[in-house]
Amino acid sequence: MATPQIIFFPVGNGDMTLIKLSNGQTILIDINIRAPGEGVRDVLKDLREKLSEDEEGRPYVDVMVLSHPDQDHCRGLVEHFHLGSLFDYPVKGEASKIVIREMWSSPLVYRRASKTHTLSDDAKAWNTEAKRRVQLFKDEGALEDGDRIQIMGEDADGKTDDVMEIVIKAGERITNVAGKSYENFSALLLAPRNAESDEDAEELTKNESSVIINYSIGTGATPDAVKFLSAGDAEVYIWDKKLWSRYKNQPEALEYDLLSTPHHCSWHTLSYDSWSGKGEEAKVCENARKALSQTRAGAYIVASSNKIVDDKNDPPCIRAEREYKSIAKDADGTFLNTAIHPCEKNPEPMTFEVHGGGVKPAWKTRSAAAATSAAAAIGTQPLSHGSE
Ligand SMILES: [Zn+2]
């Protein structure tokens, strides 16, 4: 059994995270694959190094989740991933496109996003592929790798009623990863939720509705060793009115060891006021903050964003960083930013490992191991270096 990992790729203001489970399965959350060059790391290369190939030599992820269809969450899909039936996988040429064995997709989030913006070609292609898979399920009643899909959240107006077998409702647990279930993985789907009124629907549309999942990733005999809360770009209304209202008496649903700050450390996740307009006068929404403060001891909070600086830009926002730092401090935890890890000049993927005792940054366990072996090496040296 491998040590499970959670890897954040440095993709600027965007998201791209890979979970590797102890049984070797992989879950990719969002992608923002830009052309590498000055200041842009080759994250496609990083990703591919982490992926296995199937018996046909095709690289694959077991699952890809799309939190919502903004371009900074699906950039590079058409160019680098195989869409369509595996029977049409090219034998030569583009033969190394990544296969998505199973999609986790939300038609509800799509519908809301398409009301506020024009969808990119990558976003449209994801939706077309999701529809192909759902249709195949309707026709055949079962799906194989490369055709699998699980739908995140019931769609509005009964649109998913005839495929409920592949729908996970908000508040339910996901226990299957590409057709396999085992004790060291489950995930709680927290959003999207159906609107309760017209006003609610309008707010959900404006607040960057996203798939929000709290992953429980285990190892050995500890099934929920690490809880990782991943929330796309969900903004303040969702944390305040949909999640805290619902879970304030059951806050363990929101509890985490690792949090990816929603919307690239945006102020709009924590406040109804604008940062550029009100600055320090802007008020924190206490309920949203509570929803995002359910830390377990030693929690890590990661901003997947550009470097956070003291200016009017948002995201990322320096005052949001301050709030998250204070949340982390109260848990003896740590706040990190993908853009400056390990240094601003050359950001690298940020890897966490899952151990029985919780989450550990791989760069620390690695340097501790190196120090131990260096010490051991010194210990075997003859003691003759003192008199030069
Ligand atoms: Zn985004």
Side-chain angles (χ1 to χ4, degrees), residues 13-15 68 70 72-73 233 263-264:
N13 275 357
D15 272 331
H68 67 299
D70 283 358
D72 57 318
H73 297 258
D233 284 358
H263 204 180
H264 327 299

Side-chain angles (χ1 to χ4, degrees), residues 208-220:
E208 297 279 359
S209 225
S210 295
V211 173
I212 305 181
I213 295 178
N214 200 351
Y215 295 89
S216 291
I217 302 158
T219 180

Side-chain angles (χ1 to χ4, degrees), residues 64 76-86 88-90 97-100 103 121-122 124-130 132-133 146:
M64 181 169 166
L77 182 76
V78 172
E79 196 178 345
H80 305 298
F81 288 76
H82 178 72
L83 303 172
S85 166
L86 275 186
D88 300 327
Y89 192 91
K97 280 192 173 182
I98 299 166
V99 169
I100 302 168
M103 299 169 85
D121 289 346
D122 285 317
K124 285 182 196 157
W126 173 274
N127 205 24
T128 304
E129 175 66 2
R132 180 189 75 82
R133 293 179 181 211

Side-chain angles (χ1 to χ4, degrees), residues 188 190 214-215 224-230 239-240 243-260 262 270 285-301 323-324 326-333 359:
L188 177 63
L190 294 164
N214 200 351
Y215 295 89
D224 70 338
V226 168
K227 292 175 85 177
F228 166 38
L229 181 55
S230 165
W239 297 100
D240 175 16
L243 294 176
W244 189 246
S245 303
R246 180 167 195 96
Y247 289 111
K248 62 185 172 208
N249 297 319
Q250 199 196 325
E252 59 279 8
L254 296 163
E255 195 177 58
Y256 62 84
D257 300 278
L258 185 59
L259 168 72
S260 177
L270 292 162
C285 167
E286 286 306 323
N287 286 347
R289 193 185 189 280
K290 277 182 197 145
L292 287 159
S293 305
Q294 301 306 312
T295 45
R296 298 213 283 195
Y300 286 84
I301 299 180
E323 291 297 329
Y324 287 118
S326 121
I327 293 168
K329 189 163 173 256
D330 288 344
D332 279 328
V359 67

